[in-house]
Amino acid sequence: MQKKIEYIIIVSSTILFFIGCGKNLSDNVQNFPIIIDTLQNNENQYNTNDFGVSSSTILYIGSETDSIEVDHSIKDLIKPPPPPTPPTSYKQNDRNFKEDSLKNEEIWNKYSQNVKKRRETSYFVLSERVADKKGFFDTIDIEIIVDTTQKLKHDVSKYQWDDYYEGYPILIKNASSDTIVIGYESYIPIILQAKDENNNWNPIEKIYIFSCGNGLSSVLLPPNEIVLSSKPIYQGDFKTTLRVEIGGNYSNEYSGKINLDQFKKPNY
């Protein structure tokens, strides 16, 4: 009789343990804001054999809220219009020069006014103006949550915009008491990792590196504020577990599929 009671206690404790673990994970998802993505395009599934380049951009930045409307235009804030045609390309006394100059001035004024009006502009600061007291994402603990119960559009472009596929929303919160640098330009340097055939964690993409660092903007994230970003939902033949990493901070783990060739880093 005593052995039977001990068995019941052990089984009950085990069940309660797993229920407790499940509840914590469920709470994270339940606390995730409702994601609203109104972008109209075909929801393509992303299947590749290449080791990737992270293309996670800012889709929202600011205070915590119950729902977030995805803003794919934030990345355009740091993408100014193309430069005007050099004066040397015009013939002497070419009246097109004056017309084109006025047109370019109008374009730049419109862009400047738009940037000034945007709430998000205050989060971007030229990197050389960032004070030493600002922490960086690899020096402060931050919270990262991937919500696989919701989907949005993820732009997989490396150099140009608007190449959208299905993606999962990712929430990053600065839980510290310091303002931190969370990214550069419109990029958030989060890396997707997956377990390989030996059950070891390995990256399947690298951080996007700018060819020139002059004039780059740093993205500042104040205490208790959040950034919404995303990762593509990969397709493939290899079932595995994935997670997101930034500066030694890791997200929750989730199941997915990739191709084994995605582990192969190119030689460059």
Side-chain angles (χ1 to χ4, degrees):
M1 183 66 178
Q2 183 178 357
K3 289 185 177 180
K4 185 176 181 180
I5 293 174
E6 290 176 351
Y7 173 78
I8 293 173
I9 292 174
I10 293 172
V11 172
S12 300
S13 300
T14 304
I15 293 173
L16 288 172
F17 172 79
F18 282 109
I19 289 175
C21 292
K23 184 177 185 299
N24 291 334
L25 181 59
S26 177
D27 284 346
N28 284 338
V29 175
Q30 288 177 4
N31 292 332
F32 206 98
I34 297 171
I35 302 301
I36 304 167
D37 192 349
T38 58
L39 180 68
Q40 300 295 321
N41 78 305
N42 296 325
E43 294 187 354
N44 301 318
Q45 296 184 333
Y46 196 46
N47 194 324
T48 181
N49 289 306
D50 298 330
F51 184 83
V53 177
S54 177
S55 57
S56 298
T57 59
I58 300 172
L59 302 175
Y60 169 85
I61 185 168
S63 301
E64 290 187 272
T65 179
D66 293 334
S67 62
I68 294 176
E69 184 168 351
V70 175
D71 189 349
H72 294 281
S73 71
I74 294 177
K75 58 180 177 281
D76 295 324
L77 290 177
I78 47 81
K79 186 179 72 173
T85 304
T88 53
S89 300
Y90 295 91
K91 295 181 180 179
Q92 189 175 9
N93 299 323
D94 190 341
R95 67 176 184 180
N96 288 331
F97 174 70
K98 183 176 182 180
E99 292 177 358
D100 290 348
S101 296
L102 291 173
K103 185 178 180 180
N104 286 324
E105 184 179 359
E106 181 182 351
I107 291 173
W108 272 91
N109 286 339
K110 185 177 180 180
Y111 167 76
S112 299
Q113 290 301 318
N114 179 48
V115 168
K116 290 178 181 178
K117 291 178 182 177
R118 293 293 298 264
R119 176 188 61 81
E120 297 86 0
T121 304
S122 62
Y123 291 88
F124 295 90
V125 179
L126 286 176
S127 296
E128 54 265 30
R129 295 180 182 175
V130 175
D132 293 337
K133 64 180 180 180
K134 305 292 184 186
F136 286 78
F137 53 79
D138 57 351
T139 63
I140 294 178
D141 290 335
I142 54 180
E143 297 176 6
I144 314 170
I145 303 175
V146 182
D147 186 356
T148 59
T149 68
Q150 302 186 75
K151 295 180 182 179
L152 44 61
K153 315 299 189 303
H154 176 87
D155 191 349
V156 300
S157 308
K158 298 187 184 81
Y159 312 109
Q160 301 294 327
W161 301 126
D162 304 331
D163 187 11
Y164 292 101
Y165 289 82
E166 283 187 334
Y168 287 136
I170 299 172
L171 200 68
I172 302 171
K173 179 180 178 180
N174 177 9
S176 75
S177 58
D178 299 315
T179 294
I180 63 173
V181 175
I182 197 64
Y184 304 95
E185 297 293 279
S186 61
Y187 288 96
I188 303 298
I190 49 178
I191 294 298
L192 196 59
Q193 298 181 341
K195 285 189 174 182
D196 60 19
E197 291 176 300
N198 297 317
N199 209 36
N200 295 320
W201 287 107
N202 277 295
I204 58 173
E205 59 184 11
K206 67 172 187 175
I207 294 174
Y208 178 80
I209 299 176
F210 292 89
S211 57
C212 178
N214 292 333
L216 290 181
S217 296
S218 293
V219 183
L220 302 183
L221 187 64
N224 297 315
E225 294 202 9
I226 60 172
V227 169
L228 178 71
S229 192
S230 61
K231 282 295 178 189
I233 303 173
Y234 285 105
Q235 303 297 317
D237 300 325
F238 180 63
K239 293 182 179 180
T240 186
T241 303
L242 300 103
R243 68 182 181 185
V244 171
E245 182 267 343
I246 177 172
N249 298 280
Y250 300 95
S251 73
N252 53 301
E253 301 174 7
Y254 63 97
S255 300
K257 294 180 180 180
I258 62 171
N259 293 307
L260 284 173
D261 284 345
Q262 289 180 250
F263 288 115
K264 297 180 180 178
K265 297 181 182 179
N267 297 319
Y268 53 75

